[in-house]
Amino acid sequence: MCNELFTHGVMQENGSYYGCRDVNVSEAVVCFTVQSGTPFSFNLSPYTQEELGTNKHQDDLVESGSIILCGITK
């Protein structure tokens, strides 16, 4: 999925990170950075939120073909 992922957050059991102020992602020719003055949580995966929300088993998940970044701030 991702060649590089740099963050200063703490990884949670479900693959989300919390307490982050920045995330840098690099995948082949795609590279982006997200920064915030307020700590945020995020999840980076090949699955959409709808795919994660409707399937109960990991074997049922279908990759989207994209990198999905889902973030939450307080």
Side-chain angles (χ1 to χ4, degrees):
M1 176 180 64
C2 296
N3 295 332
E4 299 178 32
L5 170 64
F6 303 102
T7 179
H8 297 287
V10 178
M11 185 172 185
Q12 296 175 293
E13 184 177 316
N14 63 0
S16 291
Y17 289 82
Y18 71 93
C20 304
R21 292 189 182 271
D22 62 81
V23 59
N24 302 308
V25 179
S26 174
E27 165 68 14
V29 297
V30 176
C31 180
F32 62 90
T33 300
V34 177
Q35 295 179 319
S36 175
T38 304
F40 62 92
S41 298
F42 77 92
N43 181 315
L44 187 68
S45 82
Y47 309 110
T48 64
Q49 294 302 299
E50 293 79 12
E51 186 73 20
L52 292 169
T54 58
N55 290 297
K56 295 183 181 181
H57 305 286
Q58 183 145 355
D59 293 344
D60 297 333
L61 294 172
V62 177
E63 292 189 10
S64 68
S66 299
I67 297 171
I68 309 296
L69 175 64
C70 181
I72 301 170
T73 61
K74 290 184 180 183

